[in-house]
Amino acid sequence: MVWNGFYLKTEEICNQIMSTLTWKEVKAKVKFIIKEYEKGVTYSKDEMKQYEGVNILRNKELKKWSIIITPSL
């Protein structure tokens, strides 16, 4: 995978690149995940409503791009 001209081949490379990301002078918190997710999975707006505000919290300024997902246990 390539991001901003860098090949994301290893966890070390990913962590180095992500450690430089900031938004409004706040550094990003990142976690490297090895798990592969199934492609093409989508949910309807009605299905997503049950998670919005409970398991999915959105940043009010960056609604589409900044989210926190908390898994249900």
Side-chain angles (χ1 to χ4, degrees):
M1 174 181 245
V2 178
W3 182 82
N4 204 22
F6 294 95
Y7 287 100
L8 304 177
K9 292 181 182 179
T10 66
E11 181 177 350
E12 182 182 355
I13 292 170
C14 292
N15 287 336
Q16 287 175 353
I17 293 169
M18 296 303 129
S19 70
T20 66
L21 297 178
T22 59
W23 182 69
K24 290 191 175 184
E25 299 180 19
V26 176
K27 288 198 172 263
K29 293 180 184 178
V30 298
K31 181 178 178 182
F32 189 78
I33 300 172
I34 296 172
K35 178 181 177 180
E36 289 190 30
Y37 291 88
E38 187 177 338
K39 294 181 180 181
V41 175
T42 59
Y43 295 94
S44 70
K45 287 185 179 185
D46 287 336
E47 288 174 307
M48 287 302 293
K49 281 181 188 178
Q50 67 181 329
Y51 301 110
E52 290 283 343
V54 178
N55 298 87
I56 299 175
L57 303 174
R58 296 184 184 272
N59 179 306
K60 291 180 182 177
E61 294 181 43
L62 295 171
K63 288 184 179 184
K64 185 174 181 180
W65 303 109
S66 180
I67 62 172
I68 296 172
I69 301 172
T70 307
S72 299
L73 299 177

